[in-house]
Amino acid sequence: MSEHNAIISIRNLNKQFVLSKRLFSRKKSVVNAVHDFSMDVYEGEVVGLIGESGSGKTTLARILLGLTEADEGSIRIDGTELTNAGRKQLREIRSRCAVVFQDPAANLNPRQTVESSITRPLVITGVPRREAKRKAAEALREVQMDESYLFSYPHQLSGGQQQRIAIARALVMRPKIMILDEPTSALDISVQAQVLNLLLDLQEEYSLTYLIVTHDLSVIRYVSDRIAVMYMGRLVEYGTTEDIINNSLHPYTKILINSVPVLDPEHRNNEKAMFSGEPGETPEKLAACRLAQRCPYAMQQCFEGTPPMQEVTPGHFAECFLLSDRR
Amino acid sequence: METVDIGKALLQLENLSIDYRINTGMLSAVHNVNLTLRHGEIYALVGESGCGKSTIAHNVMRLSIDHNEVINGRIIFEGQDITSIPEPEMEKIRGKKIGMIFQNPLDSLNPVYRSGTQVTEALMLDGMSKKEAVLRTIELFRDVQIPNPEQRIAAFPHELSGGMRQRVMIAMMLARNPSLLIADEPTTALDVTVEAQILRIMKRLQQKFRTGILLITHNFGIVAEIADRIGIMYAGEIVEEGTVFDIFKNPVHPYSRALLSTLPRYHKSLRRIAAIDGNVPRITEKRAECRFRNRCPYSSEDERCATQSPNAVSFGSGHIVRCHRAEEDRV
Amino acid sequence: MSKKEKRKLFLYSYLKNRNLMLGTVIVLAVVLIALFSDWIAPYNFDDANLAPKFTRPCAEFPFGTDEFGRDMFSRVIYGSRIALRVAVLAMLIEIVLGVSIGLLSGYYGGNLDRVLSFLSDLTWSMPPIIMSMAVITVLGKSIDNVIIAIAVVSWAQYARVVRAKTQSLKNMAFVETGIAFNEKDISIMSFYILPNIIPPIIVLASLSIPSTIMSTTALSFLGLGAQPPSPDWGLALSSSMSHIATAPWLAIFPGIALVLTVFGFNLFGEGLRDLLDPRLKSR
């Protein structure tokens, strides 16, 4: 992958969680939440990171935010190395990288007014209070809310409004990058559209870089320039939205796209390729394709080694043994 | 396209209204709902949170007796009005004739019993011997495509994945062979690849056993996938009802139209999705007005929206719309 | 719901709860009596020989007099001051100690949590009255040492509640967002977590007051707390023991005062819990 103007650059990232299996047993089971993960995000683009439960997408987002420490690998965010960063570097990275989480109600401190929530990131970096308040009012306008909401408490707002406030708080620091963890999946459909449109408007206006982490393919294809597909800790396919939706290469991506219900009853009886099992069924060996157990096309090879990541067409990457023949 | 043989009425709601006494007055959760679900039909009640769809499901099942609840109208199941029958009678219907599956199957399975035992118990209630019941359980597990059913019947609910638990729930419901299955957001907590499997199972049940399914959901995708008829709910009322094709191809009510257009289906370079401004209201005061009025783009053009409740207008063969604007274009 | 509506709803459920109302009235009465003892009591608590000793309750001395001819009515009134002072001071020390330990323990986790949890489990597992007696034996007999003894014994209940709440709150999105924009740990704890655990602390505090009053009384009764001529209720009960057959009023009136106060605080605490808890759940 080319290194130029990558604002987030992840190389060979690993993160394991150790779970002790039984109360009185020393045998420990290990979950490879993120496994040998490499990816670049370019400045000003919207990248959707899609995966099902247990894919490690949330762990990856938490590592990028410095909430969880990685075991191995390197992450450069806007030129600063995140792994092993000291307090100062971490502060620098965090001032450029803002976050909005999924649950609108949990996103805001129930005991803080809207104004206090939004001004807080500014106040702690030493911005004078009056200046911070002015910027808070401005941020509120940017998320299309009336200034009168400044003095409300979160429980007085609807889910969509709470999510707008969370976006305003992220925006007020003028970050370059926003990490959005399922930003709309807790919202009603009519409100989801409002928030997605708002996010797109803001991204265009400030040429922000978005990394959107989600399980919802219909949302991601609507907002993303590029899509990264994650399965059990590994990046299995990465390419433009067009590449992924219309020319997907990896069997997992294909079936994932196939599984999403089509919003047209006329296509309802199309026979679909389906997985037999569920995510989380691990192969015995770490060095095997993670999907081998569930994949309808699995070959002997798949159980014996990890398939290499290949650039099949320019900018379209996938890791699957089936692709080796096509090159 | 296969045609599902749809029979006579299984469940009918007649002018059903449900209100709750709250500290500051009355909350109208469901208002004048009329609905007919036939044998072997999948009827989807679709709407956003707080529209009353789950309230209806819970009341058909009469899951809890809430003294702050006021029910008007009738719920007719297999020709019998079940709104006023005594609790012991209801117990014979609940579980036996009407089954229900929930969003979170972990909450509805008993964590201290093995998953197979819970199904076996249900079968033994109907007078089956233990041995027969276990064999039947294995068969049911196979019906809902649980791999290795002989082993899985010994698993505790927490040892199963979300999709497997939902299958066990469905198997448990099937055990009593109900004529009506109420599915309250059955796949919302599941991953899409698993959702697809569960939907396929539900579709098979409907075809194989002619089970009527009342599907409660906010997800238009699964509606398009398996529903025969749809009722779109807004603020406690069914604002539009019709076949899945009526609603997806020819929605009439402004809310249905707006809702369908908010679904993200395009790439962003093509266009922005339409959004509906505002939020779903809580109705604490029944007025003669259209409940969608404050969010409707057309309400300013028509004074009836503020002064009269819209009547149900028929657009032919079961396509019904409650909107003043629709009255003029009546077919 | 608007702020005004919410306040109205709160007031409404407050007034509807009869036990809470009764509790509030009793608690308020005790607090007022304690604050204005000097005005209410006709005599000072150690004015002796006002009347012949062991005068029966009469119009001038409604609760009678004791073996030194002191007015029991005045002594019972002044006794409320001691009971409340001990209860409030002990509670404050417990809260400061318990909340800070609970916050640190819950927020940092790891070895610090292990040590602090062990400490709180240890104090929790000891019979409180024996523990307090041990503390007083070390520090010496006085009412101020009773406060310390009670606080040392009872902080653990706050620490446990606060620790559990902190653990669940620290994974909430708003706390993590705070960390992600560089809040210091101390601000996370004081600004994000603490305000959200105040309601359970209030409930716990109001529920622990009656037991604190009982412990104080018990220690004074055993001669470890208040010393003569203090009008402490526990002390009054213990010195009335030897005259119980001839002058039962010496035991009855301090006893009634004690029971009423404890009863009132219990009603108040339980009512407050019922009122605050559903609001906690809905959040």
Side-chain angles (χ1 to χ4, degrees):
Chain A
M1 295 181 202
S2 73
E3 200 70 49
H4 83 103
N5 70 2
I7 193 163
I8 302 176
S9 172
I10 306 170
R11 286 291 171 276
N12 307 98
L13 196 72
N14 275 300
K15 174 70 193 177
Q16 283 191 340
F17 289 109
V18 180
L19 317 163
S20 48
K21 200 152 193 175
R22 291 223 163 70
L23 197 55
F24 297 108
S25 147
R26 292 209 169 186
K27 217 174 118 188
K28 283 177 174 171
S29 74
V30 168
V31 176
N32 287 286
V34 177
H35 186 233
D36 200 15
F37 190 100
S38 301
M39 181 175 133
D40 282 327
V41 176
Y42 300 124
E43 195 157 357
E45 72 174 345
V46 179
V47 170
L49 181 64
I50 189 161
E52 296 183 274
S53 50
S55 63
K57 57 186 195 299
T58 303
T59 308
L60 186 74
R62 292 176 56 90
I63 293 174
L64 289 172
L65 290 165
L67 294 171
T68 302
E69 259 181 66
D71 297 334
E72 284 170 50
S74 107
I75 300 169
R76 292 183 80 78
I77 293 180
D78 200 17
T80 314
E81 179 64 43
L82 173 71
T83 45
N84 311 318
R87 269 204 82 84
K88 197 171 156 247
Q89 283 108 309
L90 197 60
R91 197 176 316 143
E92 221 166 274
I93 292 171
R94 282 173 168 173
S95 68
R96 281 177 232 147
C97 197
V99 61
V100 177
F101 285 110
Q102 170 177 14
D103 183 356
N107 248 329
L108 302 169
N109 186 347
R111 303 271 155 177
Q112 259 180 308
T113 59
V114 166
E115 183 180 55
S116 165
S117 274
I118 302 180
T119 52
R120 190 72 195 164
L122 294 169
V123 169
I124 61 167
T125 48
V127 176
R129 229 162 250 281
R130 178 176 293 180
E131 171 87 1
K133 285 187 177 177
R134 194 181 55 72
K135 286 189 170 171
E138 195 184 302
L140 212 56
R141 278 196 299 275
E142 275 171 333
V143 295
Q144 291 149 30
M145 276 180 74
D146 195 85
E147 270 179 52
S148 60
Y149 285 105
L150 277 174
F151 309 104
S152 313
Y153 281 89
H155 65 83
Q156 297 162 338
L157 306 174
S158 69
Q161 291 172 327
Q162 289 169 343
Q163 210 61 338
R164 281 168 197 267
I165 303 295
I167 294 168
R169 177 183 54 190
L171 213 60
V172 81
M173 301 198 295
R174 290 278 165 261
K176 291 172 118 174
I177 306 164
M178 287 241 252
I179 294 178
L180 305 158
D181 183 7
E182 308 267 11
T184 60
S185 55
L187 302 175
D188 270 324
I189 17 184
S190 67
V191 182
Q192 168 181 304
Q194 300 167 8
V195 173
L196 285 178
N197 286 343
L198 171 68
L199 283 171
L200 286 178
D201 291 342
L202 293 171
Q203 192 263 336
E204 279 167 17
E205 192 173 343
Y206 298 105
S207 39
L208 294 164
T209 307
Y210 282 175
L211 182 65
I212 304 181
V213 178
T214 183
H215 70 279
D216 190 341
L217 194 73
S218 51
V219 165
I220 213 104
R221 68 196 271 188
Y222 170 62
V223 294
S224 311
D225 299 315
R226 289 202 294 156
I227 295 178
V229 184
M230 226 178 146
Y231 184 73
M232 295 200 63
R234 291 186 70 90
L235 182 67
V236 295
E237 189 165 354
Y238 190 24
T240 62
T241 303
E242 178 66 25
D243 284 342
I244 300 289
I245 302 293
N246 298 327
N247 299 308
S248 50
L249 298 167
H250 198 282
Y252 177 69
T253 317
K254 285 183 189 167
I255 293 177
L256 188 68
I257 292 169
N258 235 313
S259 302
V260 178
V262 184
L263 285 166
D264 186 346
E266 274 175 21
H267 296 289
R268 55 157 72 185
N269 291 306
N270 292 353
E271 206 38 56
K272 287 177 171 175
M274 269 195 205
F275 282 129
S276 48
E278 300 196 15
E281 288 171 21
T282 32
E284 314 256 297
K285 282 188 290 183
L286 192 54
C289 174
R290 317 243 82 197
L291 188 65
Q293 223 93 340
R294 296 178 72 194
C295 183
Y297 315 106
M299 308 171 285
Q300 190 54 33
Q301 217 179 348
C302 304
F303 293 92
E304 284 160 0
T306 307
M309 184 56 107
Q310 304 170 47
E311 186 163 8
V312 180
T313 56
H316 188 178
F317 301 84
E319 56 165 43
C320 179
F321 286 118
L322 286 175
L323 303 170
S324 310
D325 321 326
R326 281 177 54 165
R327 283 186 84 193
Chain B
M1 227 186 320
E2 105 289 358
T3 45
V4 179
D5 172 28
I6 286 168
K8 59 178 194 295
L10 172 64
L11 175 73
Q12 284 169 288
L13 307 183
E14 282 182 4
N15 292 321
L16 184 69
S17 291
I18 301 168
D19 300 79
Y20 290 95
R21 273 187 280 271
I22 52 172
N23 279 326
T24 45
M26 295 292 274
L27 177 71
S28 165
V30 174
H31 185 233
N32 266 342
V33 164
N34 286 292
L35 172 162
T36 302
L37 169 69
R38 296 179 186 85
H39 280 280
E41 181 181 48
I42 300 184
Y43 189 107
L45 270 182
V46 197
E48 301 181 88
S49 53
C51 71
K53 56 189 194 297
S54 286
T55 310
I56 290 181
H58 286 245
N59 272 285
V60 170
M61 209 49 185
R62 217 199 285 164
L63 282 179
S64 60
I65 295 169
D66 184 342
H67 294 289
N68 287 320
E69 193 179 67
V70 183
I71 304 174
N72 284 302
R74 303 205 296 164
I75 301 172
I76 301 163
F77 175 70
E78 291 186 335
Q80 186 189 11
D81 185 355
I82 59 170
T83 21
S84 49
I85 61 168
E87 186 55 26
E89 292 278 311
M90 191 62 206
E91 273 165 20
K92 285 182 201 153
I93 294 174
R94 195 188 296 132
K96 175 107 185 81
K97 291 188 165 169
I98 308 178
M100 185 159 183
I101 54 176
F102 299 88
Q103 175 172 349
N104 190 347
L106 191 57
D107 291 345
S108 29
L109 287 170
N110 190 333
V112 299
Y113 290 114
R114 295 176 194 280
S115 56
T117 314
Q118 309 196 29
V119 181
T120 313
E121 293 281 319
L123 287 166
M124 283 160 64
L125 279 178
D126 293 340
M128 222 181 244
S129 77
K130 174 120 196 217
K131 202 174 160 196
E132 267 179 314
V134 171
L135 288 174
R136 176 86 181 108
T137 304
I138 294 174
E139 199 179 309
L140 284 166
F141 272 33
R142 200 166 282 136
D143 264 347
V144 293
Q145 292 164 3
I146 296 177
N148 304 326
E150 293 83 359
Q151 280 131 49
R152 292 292 169 98
I153 53 168
F156 285 100
H158 70 266
E159 295 170 331
L160 299 171
S161 64
M164 284 301 152
R165 281 181 211 135
Q166 199 58 290
R167 281 165 217 248
V168 172
M169 267 313 287
I170 296 176
M172 199 156 114
M173 290 305 134
L174 279 186
R176 322 271 313 258
N177 197 9
S179 46
L180 173 64
L181 180 68
I182 300 174
D184 189 357
E185 304 272 3
T187 61
T188 306
L190 305 174
D191 282 321
V192 270
T193 55
V194 181
E195 174 180 273
Q197 298 164 359
I198 297 285
L199 292 182
R200 183 184 273 186
I201 291 169
M202 285 177 49
K203 189 85 194 166
R204 268 203 25 229
L205 293 182
Q206 175 220 9
Q207 285 163 3
K208 195 169 159 191
F209 302 107
R210 284 180 41 86
T211 314
I213 300 178
L214 182 63
L215 176 68
I216 311 292
T217 185
H218 68 276
N219 184 334
F220 272 98
I222 72 173
V223 171
E225 202 75 26
I226 66 168
D228 299 308
R229 290 173 62 74
I230 302 177
I232 294 196
M233 285 196 75
Y234 184 80
E237 295 178 329
I238 294 185
V239 295
E240 182 161 3
E241 185 192 50
T243 67
V244 66
F245 296 99
D246 289 336
I247 304 289
F248 276 86
K249 299 294 174 192
N250 183 26
V252 176
H253 197 282
Y255 179 65
S256 324
R257 286 192 190 177
L259 211 52
L260 284 160
S261 65
T262 58
L263 304 171
R265 340 180 185 201
Y266 309 97
H267 186 245
K268 72 167 168 180
S269 55
L270 296 178
R271 63 171 214 195
R272 287 279 198 274
I273 36 180
I276 315 175
D277 285 334
N279 293 291
V280 184
R282 267 163 67 98
I283 308 288
T284 48
E285 214 176 312
K286 285 184 187 169
R287 273 195 229 118
E289 61 168 6
C290 171
R291 291 187 174 187
F292 186 56
R293 185 171 63 99
N294 63 338
R295 297 174 80 189
C296 181
Y298 310 109
S299 62
S300 56
E301 297 163 14
D302 196 331
E303 64 178 29
R304 287 174 302 173
C305 299
T307 56
Q308 289 171 32
S309 293
N311 294 319
V313 184
S314 171
F315 275 69
S317 72
H319 187 182
I320 292 165
V321 181
R322 273 176 186 267
C323 176
H324 291 299
R325 272 169 52 87
E327 285 175 32
E328 276 80 69
D329 327 321
R330 184 186 334 218
V331 181
Chain C
M1 239 189 285
S2 75
K3 214 172 188 172
K4 214 169 165 186
E5 267 176 80
K6 201 134 198 174
R7 200 168 291 156
K8 220 164 101 188
L9 194 67
F10 186 81
L11 210 66
Y12 172 80
S13 21
Y14 195 107
L15 295 174
K16 225 176 78 171
N17 188 333
R18 280 202 199 119
N19 285 354
L20 180 58
M21 279 307 287
L22 184 59
T24 313
V25 168
I26 297 175
V27 167
L28 222 62
V30 175
V31 169
L32 288 176
I33 289 171
L35 284 176
F36 298 107
S37 302
D38 293 336
W39 282 278
I40 299 168
Y43 307 100
N44 210 345
F45 64 87
D46 54 356
D47 286 349
N49 300 322
L50 293 164
K53 58 184 180 179
F54 300 127
T55 305
R56 288 175 172 278
C58 58
E60 203 193 339
F61 302 102
F63 291 0
T65 63
D66 65 2
E67 75 242 63
F68 300 108
R70 295 179 296 198
D71 176 31
M72 275 313 283
F73 181 67
S74 305
R75 288 181 65 77
V76 168
I77 298 287
Y78 276 104
S80 66
R81 242 184 207 190
I82 301 180
L84 276 194
R85 179 171 163 269
V86 174
V88 168
L89 285 180
M91 181 186 83
L92 289 178
I93 299 174
E94 284 165 26
I95 290 179
V96 170
L97 213 63
V99 168
S100 27
I101 288 178
L103 271 175
L104 291 172
S105 186
Y107 186 71
Y108 286 109
N111 282 331
L112 183 72
D113 178 38
R114 251 164 248 149
V115 172
L116 293 176
S117 297
F118 177 73
L119 220 65
S120 81
D121 287 347
L122 199 69
T123 43
W124 188 254
S125 60
M126 304 266 207
I129 197 79
I130 310 272
M131 267 279 276
S132 335
M133 282 166 72
V135 173
I136 289 169
T137 320
V138 174
L139 296 175
K141 298 175 195 172
S142 87
I143 198 76
D144 289 334
N145 289 344
V146 166
I147 297 174
I148 296 173
I150 290 174
V152 163
V153 172
S154 324
W155 61 271
Q157 52 177 335
Y158 291 91
R160 290 173 148 223
V161 170
V162 171
R163 173 176 174 267
K165 275 298 236 179
T166 306
Q167 279 177 333
S168 66
L169 279 166
K170 79 171 176 183
N171 292 323
M172 295 276 282
F174 72 90
V175 175
E176 298 203 318
T177 309
I179 299 172
F181 62 67
N182 265 321
E183 287 277 12
K184 294 197 181 72
D185 289 351
I186 180 81
S187 341
I188 293 280
M189 281 185 266
S190 54
F191 203 69
Y192 289 72
I193 295 176
L194 190 60
N196 287 295
I197 46 183
I198 284 176
I201 295 176
I202 291 177
V203 170
L204 202 56
S206 57
L207 281 174
S208 76
I209 284 184
S211 67
T212 309
I213 293 176
M214 287 302 265
S215 310
T216 321
T217 314
L219 288 169
S220 294
F221 185 85
L222 294 172
L224 296 168
Q227 300 300 323
S230 161
D232 183 88
W233 294 337
L235 191 63
L237 284 174
S238 99
S239 53
S240 72
M241 288 273 283
S242 39
H243 313 291
I244 193 86
T246 51
W249 59 89
L250 294 186
I252 290 171
F253 292 109
I256 289 175
L258 178 67
V259 168
L260 257 180
T261 308
V262 168
F263 177 67
F265 272 103
N266 261 329
L267 285 185
F268 180 70
E270 271 163 26
L272 211 57
R273 184 192 53 203
D274 293 346
L275 197 64
L276 290 175
D277 260 3
R279 273 157 49 96
L280 291 176
K281 270 178 220 146
S282 72
R283 195 164 289 140

